[in-house]
Each structure stands twice: as structure tokens, then as C-alpha cells.
């Protein structure tokens, strides 16, 4: 049954990781109009390339099974769904880049994984931290970005993505119910398929912790 369902749609999930680190190298703030333009430019390029290849594969091997029941009816398309934005948490860590389309959580992050603790310096911030130099203004952490900008960035990607987008809004510990509700309402109005929020300190033992928090910031 799984095989049959899979072949009916042949869905794949091309996405991105390291997007925020790309912005840092371009000296572009995540929460800026220029950042949104880079999001649209990046994902539209991937979406167009994926569709082009899917069309070519359909011409060679045939369309996905359920195409006559879909919006692609009358066209050539090998894959009903071609793009998505996954969290990529672990593989991004292995690769040493920012995960998915998330902004960087911190420049020095303490992670509680199973019974162990891992500490990571962000590679692009490390030279500044070790040299005692201030970080450039375009270095912004997830918690420093307003919910509105988190949602706008997700919407910029969602416009170019077939499936859904994994994205977390990091609220400060003092965030109110009304602020969280406003975020969900804004996301709904912008046509997002889903939304995740996390309020700092809402779990007794958190997976990711900023070093400043552990020092009692």
C-alpha cells in the first residue's frame, strides 16, 4: 500500500539549509527587506530548476500516477511535490551550517542531547568572539527577531514551496498569550500551512540553551 501510494505521487522534498549563514556572508540582516528578497530569489531558483528536471524526467519515464486527478493534469510532471523546507537540525550541525531557514539560535550554544552536553561556537562569529570584537549589526539571533519578521521570512519561502515549511518563532520568556495568538493570526492571514512557536523557559530542561541564559543573563 505504501509503494502504491508513493508511486501515485512520487513526492520528493528538495529544500535548503545554511540560508542564514549565506546572508551573514552577504552582510545582509535576516530581518530586513533585502533578506526577504534573497529568500524569494533563492527558493524560486530551486523551485524552477526542480520543476524543469521533473518535466524532463516525465518525458523520459512518464508522469506520476495520479496526475490526471491533480492540478498538473494535461502537463508533463514526474513528481507531484518537489520542494519543502525541513528542519535539518542534525545534518546542519554535522555540516556546520545554520539549519533550514532558521536564524542562528545563538553564537555560543549549549545543547542537551540525551545524557550529554555539547557546546558550539558559530564558525562565522567565532573570530569576533575570540578577538573580543563586537559582532557586526547584521549578526542577529533568533530571539532578537520579532515574530512579524519570522513569519514574513517563512511566507517568502512558502510562496515558492510545494509542501510546507518548517520554521520556529522564538518568543522571549515574558511573551504573553496575546502575542502568541497574534503570531498565529498573522501566519493564517499570510497563507502559511503551519507554524511553530517556542517560548524561552517553557521547559524545565531545554534542548538548546544560549550560554548567556546559563550564566543568568
Amino acid at each position: 500500500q505504501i509503494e502504491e501510494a508513493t508511486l501515485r505521487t512520487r513526492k520528493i522534498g528538495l529544500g535548503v539549509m545554511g540560508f542564514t549563514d549565506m546572508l551573514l556572508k552577504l552582510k545582509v540582516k535576516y530581518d530586513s527587506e533585502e533578506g526577504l528578497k534573497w529568500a524569494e530569489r533563492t527558493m524560486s531558483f530551486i523551485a524552477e530548476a526542480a520543476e524543469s528536471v521533473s518535466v524532463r524526467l516525465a518525458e523520459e519515464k512518464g508522469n506520476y500516477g495520479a496526475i490526471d486527478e491533480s492540478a498538473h493534469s494535461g502537463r508533463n510532471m514526474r513528481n507531484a511535490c518537489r520542494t519543502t523546507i525541513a528542519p535539518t537540525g542534525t545534518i546542519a550541525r554535522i555540516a556546520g551550517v545554520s539549519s533550514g531557514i532558521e536564524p542562528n539560535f545563538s553564537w555560543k550554544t549549549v545543547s542537551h542531547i540525551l545524557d550529554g552536553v555539547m557546546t558550539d561556537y558559530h564558525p562565522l562569529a567565532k573570530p569576533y568572539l575570540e578577538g573580543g570584537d563586537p559582532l557586526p549589526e547584521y549578526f542577529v539571533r533568533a530571539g532578537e527577531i520579532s515574530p512579524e519578521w519570522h513569519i514574513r521570512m517563512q511566507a517568502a519561502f512558502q510562496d515558492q514551496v510545494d509542501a510546507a515549511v518548517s520554521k520556529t518563532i522564538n518568543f522571549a520568556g515574558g511573551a504573553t498569550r496575546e502575542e502568541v495568538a497574534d503570531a498565529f493570526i498573522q501566519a493564517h492571514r499570510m497563507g502559511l500551512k503551519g507554524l511553530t512557536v517556542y517560548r524561552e523557559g517553557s521547559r524545565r530542561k531545554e534542548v538548546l540553551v544560549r550560554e548567556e541564559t546559563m550564566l543568568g543573563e
Side-chain angles (χ1 to χ4, degrees):
Q1 289 175 334
I2 293 173
E3 180 181 13
E4 181 183 353
T6 301
L7 294 178
R8 276 177 56 80
T9 57
R10 295 186 178 274
K11 293 179 180 178
I12 58 173
L14 296 173
V16 299
M17 65 181 182
F19 171 73
T20 302
D21 289 348
M22 181 187 79
L23 293 184
L24 290 178
K25 290 189 173 186
L26 291 167
K27 299 182 179 181
V28 173
K29 280 190 73 178
Y30 186 95
D31 50 340
S32 68
E33 295 294 340
E34 190 174 1
L36 295 181
K37 289 178 182 177
W38 275 106
E40 294 167 357
R41 180 180 179 185
T42 300
M43 202 62 218
S44 65
F45 174 82
I46 294 171
E48 289 170 10
E51 181 170 326
S52 174
V53 173
S54 190
V55 169
R56 177 170 57 79
L57 287 172
E59 292 169 351
E60 294 175 6
K61 301 180 179 183
N63 294 316
Y64 62 90
I67 194 166
D68 290 337
E69 307 163 37
S70 76
H72 296 132
S73 180
R75 297 182 57 196
N76 284 325
M77 194 68 67
R78 182 67 170 171
N79 315 95
C81 173
R82 297 160 300 283
T83 54
T84 191
I85 301 292
T88 72
T90 301
I91 59 173
R93 180 171 224 151
I94 292 170
V97 298
S98 55
S99 62
I101 63 167
E102 300 288 3
N104 288 294
F105 179 75
S106 182
W107 311 121
K108 185 177 181 181
T109 304
V110 178
S111 307
H112 297 119
I113 302 174
L114 298 177
D115 294 327
V117 177
M118 292 179 63
T119 301
D120 291 311
Y121 282 97
H122 189 282
L124 298 178
K126 192 173 183 179
Y128 295 97
L129 300 176
E130 290 182 336
D133 299 320
L135 290 165
E137 56 87 24
Y138 52 85
F139 274 72
V140 288
R141 298 179 314 206
E144 297 169 333
I145 297 169
S146 71
E148 177 189 357
W149 276 103
H150 277 284
I151 293 168
R152 290 185 68 187
M153 181 60 77
Q154 182 174 343
F157 274 93
Q158 184 68 80
D159 284 345
Q160 312 290 334
V161 168
D162 299 322
V165 175
S166 172
K167 178 80 185 71
T168 299
I169 294 179
N170 300 84
F171 279 95
T176 65
R177 288 185 177 187
E178 290 74 20
E179 288 172 329
V180 175
D182 287 344
F184 276 95
I185 291 169
Q186 180 188 349
H188 177 71
R189 287 173 175 167
M190 297 190 77
L192 300 189
K193 293 184 177 181
L195 184 68
T196 301
V197 301
Y198 185 75
R199 189 171 179 266
E200 190 171 52
S202 60
R203 296 181 64 181
R204 186 170 298 173
K205 185 175 182 181
E206 298 178 300
V207 177
L208 298 179
V209 182
R210 290 184 293 116
E211 185 190 39
E212 302 95 310
T213 305
M214 297 192 71
L215 295 175
E217 183 190 61

